[in-house]
Amino acid sequence: MIFTQEHNEIRRTVKNFVENEINPYCDEWEKAGEFPMKEMFKKLGDLGLLGISKPTEYGGMGLDYSYNIVAAEEFGAAHCGGVPLAIGVQTDMCTPALARFGSNELREEFLAQSISGDMIGCIGVSEPSAGSDVAAIKTTAKKDGDDYVINGTKMWITNSPKADYICLLANTSDDKVHLNKSLIVVPMNTPGIEVAPRLNKLGMRSSETAQVFFDNVRIPQRYRIGAEGSGFMMQMLQFQEERLFGAANILKGLEQCVDQTIDYCRERQTFGQPLLDNQVIHFRLAELQTEIEALRCMVYQGVEGYINKKDVTMLASMAKLKAGRLGREVADSCLQYWGGMGYMWENPVSRAMRDIRLVSIGGGADEIMLGIICKLMGTLPKKKK
Ligand SMILES: Cc1cc2nc3c(=O)[nH]c(=O)nc-3n(C[C@H](O)[C@H](O)[C@H](O)COP(=O)(O)OP(=O)(O)OC[C@H]3O[C@@H](n4cnc5c(N)ncnc54)[C@H](O)[C@@H]3O)c2cc1C
């Protein structure tokens, strides 16, 4: 990928934002289990960072997705994963389908305000009994006159406690499971919606994740994104951006793990020499740095294909799989060299280890990525009829 002056400017803007507006407060927000989203999203909106690759008609910068990925990479330098996750939900998880397939009216009402930072969005796909198996969701949106009436429960919904709307995947007919779903934008203040207290997570502590209940929630059908029944397809497309974002977003955090471990091992002495002088340690750190760079290449290759309108399902799935696996490997290996210090809750590598663990689970677990890759390789056994 060739980076332009504009890429570098976005990189610099995000870097400054992370250094001044996020990192000084991470410890406080991690303890509090939340961060001031509304204020931060407004600041991000004012800088244009919530709509880098979104259409200019709705306040976006109208740049291609490579500019977005540069921002995703830089947000990953935050000293906590929760804040970039919350930002990614807004930019790459709950708005791509709206931007691409939403009606002008819908984009005016929700997309423009998400880009400006005046609205917070969340994405509602997973349910208590359906996470990996998206087609098995049970939430229904039944037609009643010009409205839909929604019933069901969404689980693990990030940003939901502070969200103004949810981009909801629901069954809108009794057709086959891949043809009966629609994405619908639902304002969170609609009567019948209840957000449970936030969940107590292993990591990503500064972001808020909760269960959301829908009890006879009435919403005009014009809040549906695109054609009825195309929700599954749109969500699968939307996942491409989520997966590329996830892989790009992890890179800087992993590099920080390696750098901080180098610094620590240079200072820490055992048996009369710095830990770092043990070949097993400096070789291992070099190996990890090499793997991180390989992941970066894969992400850039995926993004290059994506902006050239190629099908990058394979590369996006591979990048997401590699990011999850490598994230666990880097965090665990680095933590080892911190010894007892690494086992402390406040240790930066220990926080990274907890935060990064999500990458192998959320947005399609490792095994789901492997399934997609196998399908495209032609090695997935056919389902018996
Ligand atoms: C912190 C956090 C934030 C989240 N935010 C959101 C959000 O904002 N919106 C949203 O919609 N969802 C969100 N999720 C949900 C997330 O996407 C799901 O947890 C994920 O898709 C896995 O689904 P599941 O938990 O139901 O696991 P299951 O589907 O029950 O699977 C459990 C495990 O089994 C394995 N597995 C599953 N299927 C197979 C298979 N076919 N072959 C082999 N192994 C398999 C995988 O290892 C998987 O991790 C979030 C989750 C977390 C933890």
Side-chain angles (χ1 to χ4, degrees):
M1 248 181 22
I2 297 163
F3 291 116
T4 63
Q5 185 62 23
E6 270 171 315
H7 284 102
N8 295 338
E9 272 167 31
I10 287 178
R11 212 179 256 291
R12 195 161 36 84
T13 308
V14 178
K15 189 169 183 286
N16 285 340
F17 192 89
V18 170
E19 280 172 6
N20 298 313
E21 304 283 347
I22 301 179
N23 283 347
Y25 312 103
C26 279
D27 291 349
E28 183 190 321
W29 295 339
E30 286 282 293
K31 274 200 193 96
E34 61 180 328
F35 71 96
M37 273 183 100
K38 292 217 184 261
E39 292 83 340
M40 185 185 292
F41 277 31
K42 190 66 203 133
K43 285 181 192 169
L44 287 167
D46 290 345
L47 290 168
L49 296 175
L50 296 177
I52 294 171
S53 57
K54 297 291 193 299
T56 49
E57 303 93 282
Y58 302 98
M61 289 190 194
L63 296 167
D64 72 45
Y65 196 67
S66 65
Y67 294 86
N68 207 57
I69 223 67
V70 163
E73 205 180 326
E74 285 304 324
F75 278 123
H79 292 166
C80 56
V83 175
L85 171 66
I87 297 168
V89 167
Q90 179 95 345
T91 55
D92 293 75
M93 299 178 207
C94 73
T95 48
L98 174 62
R100 200 184 293 179
F101 302 109
S103 66
N104 291 344
E105 197 186 12
L106 212 53
R107 290 191 285 184
E108 201 61 65
E109 195 173 340
F110 296 97
L111 182 64
Q113 300 214 57
S114 304
I115 291 171
S116 66
D118 291 302
M119 270 191 173
I120 296 174
C122 61
I123 174 78
V125 176
S126 307
E127 298 186 358
S129 58
S132 302
D133 189 1
V134 173
I137 60 161
K138 293 198 168 63
T139 297
T140 54
K142 293 208 164 127
K143 280 195 193 119
D144 186 28
D146 290 338
D147 296 339
Y148 282 124
V149 177
I150 303 169
N151 281 288
T153 304
K154 292 290 171 181
M155 186 61 181
W156 305 294
I157 306 306
T158 303
N159 291 358
S160 59
K162 295 212 171 86
D164 297 292
Y165 69 89
I166 184 167
C167 175
L168 182 85
L169 189 69
N171 296 318
T172 42
S173 79
D174 296 327
D175 207 338
K176 289 192 185 120
V177 289
H178 297 113
L179 300 171
N180 73 340
K181 295 179 174 38
S182 301
L183 280 174
I184 308 168
V185 181
V186 185
M188 291 295 277
N189 60 4
T190 314
I193 296 184
E194 193 194 326
V195 181
R198 63 172 176 251
L199 296 159
N200 189 14
K201 306 195 293 276
L202 173 72
M204 302 291 191
R205 303 282 305 176
S206 44
S207 73
E208 295 173 76
T209 305
Q211 193 165 6
V212 185
F213 302 97
F214 297 82
D215 181 14
N216 286 322
V217 175
R218 187 173 281 276
I219 204 80
Q221 284 180 39
R222 65 182 171 81
Y223 279 13
R224 189 188 62 237
I225 299 174
E228 193 172 74
S230 55
F232 187 84
M233 177 275 292
M234 287 192 278
Q235 185 51 40
M236 291 303 126
L237 277 176
Q238 192 158 247
F239 271 140
Q240 305 288 13
E241 294 197 9
E242 173 168 347
R243 288 167 188 163
L244 287 171
F245 173 92
N249 191 236
I250 202 179
L251 294 164
K252 292 261 163 169
L254 297 185
E255 281 172 343
Q256 283 175 1
C257 280
V258 171
D259 290 346
Q260 287 161 337
T261 305
I262 290 172
D263 290 346
Y264 182 74
C265 291
R266 198 168 259 136
E267 290 300 314
R268 183 78 176 171
Q269 303 263 334
T270 61
F271 305 101
Q273 63 166 2
L275 273 176
L276 192 64
D277 287 359
N278 291 289
Q279 193 186 60
V280 69
I281 297 183
H282 58 250
F283 269 21
R284 178 67 177 140
L285 292 169
E287 204 170 85
L288 296 174
Q289 187 66 44
T290 307
E291 290 286 309
I292 297 168
E293 205 50 43
L295 173 62
R296 178 173 278 120
C297 293
M298 193 186 277
V299 172
Y300 288 172
Q301 199 185 332
V303 172
E304 201 168 24
Y306 193 64
I307 62 179
N308 287 310
K309 311 263 179 285
K310 295 207 175 104
D311 180 357
V312 294
T313 311
M314 180 89 137
L315 268 173
S317 309
M318 285 175 164
K320 164 79 169 53
L321 174 69
K322 183 72 184 165
R325 297 252 157 119
L326 183 62
R328 289 151 72 179
E329 195 183 342
V330 170
D332 187 63
S333 300
C334 287
L335 190 142
Q336 179 68 18
Y337 301 137
W338 289 72
M341 290 300 287
Y343 202 68
M344 298 299 106
W345 186 265
E346 305 291 346
N347 183 279
V349 177
S350 138
R351 180 185 291 168
M353 186 173 179
R354 297 192 303 272
D355 288 350
I356 287 167
R357 192 62 185 82
L358 178 63
V359 182
S360 281
I361 298 171
D366 284 2
E367 293 79 2
I368 302 307
M369 296 306 101
L370 285 166
I372 296 171
I373 297 164
C374 287
K375 193 171 171 194
L376 294 169
M377 286 171 73
T379 56
L380 204 64
K382 297 252 178 314
K383 276 195 179 142
K384 290 193 185 92
K385 292 204 171 147

